Amino acid sequence: SSPAHRARVPLYLAHGGNDRVYPWQQQAAALETLKRGDGGYPVRMALFNTGSHGTPIRMIDWHEALNWILAH
């Protein structure tokens, strides 16, 4: 119900598979809820299989991620 959701602001999620702070499965469940919700919300997730809590910020392909966001 947030203004960003109503405006369909694209959401790019990134998570480390070995994150001990927040399990990646919670984020994946949120991703699927958004995708199924209201006509395929523009959301994408990058999962780094052996990454920990800080891995995504260093490993994400920012060129690809920003291009995807700007395309939506």
Side-chain angles (χ1 to χ4, degrees), residues 37-53:
D38 55 0
Y41 192 85
V43 59
R44 180 181 273 185
M45 180 175 174
L47 178 63
F48 299 94
N49 292 331
T50 59
S52 61
H53 189 65

Side-chain angles (χ1 to χ4, degrees), residues 25-67:
Q25 293 89 342
Q26 290 177 336
Q27 198 170 65
L31 170 90
E32 291 306 316
T33 299
L34 285 168
K35 281 183 167 181
R36 284 192 313 264
D38 55 0
Y41 192 85
V43 59
R44 180 181 273 185
M45 180 175 174
L47 178 63
F48 299 94
N49 292 331
T50 59
S52 61
H53 189 65
T55 300
I57 198 71
R58 295 184 310 273
M59 297 299 294
I60 194 166
D61 180 343
W62 287 104
H63 182 261
E64 189 271 335
L66 292 172
N67 281 338

